[in-house]
Amino acid sequence: MKNNIIYIHTHDSGRYFEPYGAPVHTPELMRFSERATLFRNAHCAGPTCSPSRSALLTGRYPHCNGMLGLAHRGFKLNDYSDHMVSFFNKNGYETTLSGIQHVAAETDWIGYQRRIGDTEFEMSHSFAFDTESYDMGNAAAAADYIREEHAGPFFLSFGMFNTHRIFPEPDENLRVENLSVPATVRDTRANRMDMAGFHQSLTIVDRCVGKILDALDSSGEWNNSIVIFTTDHGMPFPGMKCNLNDTGTGVAFMMHYPGNPSAGKVCDAMISQLDLFPTLCDILDVSEPAGLQGRSFKPLFSNPEKTVRKEIFSEISFHAAYEPVRSIRTEQYRLVVRFDQDLSPVPANTDGCPAKQDLIESNYFNNIILEEISLYDLKQDPRESRNLADKAEYREVLTELREKLHNWMIRTDDPLIINNGLIPVPPGGMVNKRECIEPIEFDFIDV
């Protein structure tokens, strides 16, 4: 029997969940973690929304699959037949979407056989809507779908808008003054209030996951299904989302499959979301489609101490504005290289929030020059706060990682190499000018 596949995903959550030790109550995700394998060292291939999702769903790096920027800003896959949905359509699965997808401006391009829940909403420039009703309604639709009688296996994508901004109003019983804030922002009341909204958003996510788990249990499909829970990239705060540090690339990733020998266990081995597609093929014992660039981490379920990859590559090209950056991460080191001649921060690529307002008021975006090359020793400096690129004792490490990163860019036909450090905006792409403070200014580069 072919297993069903349920792909559950959030926006902008990083690893801020109770199973990862975050100070937030997410009991349904705790329930899932006790029955699945929890990967503590999973990373996205690009810490921006559409590029990261595109890599997971095609098994190819964003600059290889074409998704260099955001789908709702005119960026798209080179070929939507590369999408995982197309593969499972060809392999006898019914493919169904409930909720967010964010790899196509028009969902019809992807090829889902069914759409359930709210079928009208597409990602746009306005995110001021009732995200709780949207996500909870789509979770209910997904749960009903799981309970249906199915003639064969199905692939169900359930995508939540939460924890993307704009956050819902926090519960009045939440003790805001007792909340901690991310290490990248100041501990102020305004930032704690902002974090309270993030916490409320997380409770919506958790309740939605509970609906899916209940449906899997009551229908008996748990024992027939592969279930994945993840997010696209880091949290929507300065120094996290749209940054090539662990705060940006690090993602929650939990996975169940029937007969999993490491159910309820934790794995510390590095994996990339790019590896999910080949892993599913491995578990299902079907041939991989041509062109996948990840590698199966199925061996980790039998031996969580094993190593399946020595390095992880991640990238940024376009978010709201152009910001070409590439990185390589090993178990001990991370190298980040910026390819833009202008090394000032790109303010539109930081989501609007009180912590960003702190940066604006302190004149950060005008006073700071970013490092072209940054090297971090993750064993000594897990917060990646000390750049060691100019230290003599790290010269060999720097040389080795720069060579590996360069070779990867050549091997994968990175347009930064082909175009001498410049990627043109594709026709139809909407990219803010560098001087824009907020993405909603809609002052775009002429294509």
Side-chain angles (χ1 to χ4, degrees), residues 160-224:
M160 288 167 273
F161 186 88
N162 286 280
T163 54
H164 196 289
R165 295 181 182 274
I166 300 170
F167 301 147
E169 287 295 318
D171 189 299
E172 60 183 15
N173 295 317
L174 184 64
R175 291 181 59 86
V176 174
E177 299 304 343
N178 297 122
L179 292 181
S180 60
V181 297
T184 61
V185 305
R186 281 200 314 148
D187 185 8
T188 65
R189 177 167 177 77
N191 288 332
R192 290 194 297 272
M193 285 295 297
D194 193 38
M195 196 63 186
F198 186 76
H199 273 240
Q200 187 65 28
S201 195
L202 285 165
T203 66
I204 296 169
V205 167
D206 194 61
R207 287 158 54 205
C208 288
V209 170
K211 285 183 177 292
I212 304 300
L213 296 180
D214 288 345
L216 286 167
D217 286 338
S218 64
S219 65
E221 293 292 356
W222 174 265
N223 294 323
N224 302 322

Side-chain angles (χ1 to χ4, degrees), residues 63-78:
H63 70 262
C64 296
N65 65 41
M67 190 61 76
L68 292 166
L70 300 175
H72 68 283
R73 283 172 166 252
F75 290 84
K76 60 186 71 172
L77 296 179
N78 293 328

Side-chain angles (χ1 to χ4, degrees), residues 62 101 156 321 334 371 440:
Q101 46 86 8
L156 170 64
R334 181 189 285 276
E371 300 284 355
I440 58 174

Side-chain angles (χ1 to χ4, degrees), residues 15-34 163 198-207 209-210 213 229 254:
R15 297 181 183 137
Y16 201 86
F17 297 103
E18 189 176 2
Y20 285 84
V24 61
H25 187 48
T26 52
E28 300 299 339
L29 283 163
M30 281 297 292
R31 172 160 66 120
F32 182 53
S33 73
E34 291 163 0
T163 54
F198 186 76
H199 273 240
Q200 187 65 28
S201 195
L202 285 165
T203 66
I204 296 169
V205 167
D206 194 61
R207 287 158 54 205
V209 170
L213 296 180
F229 174 84
M254 295 183 278

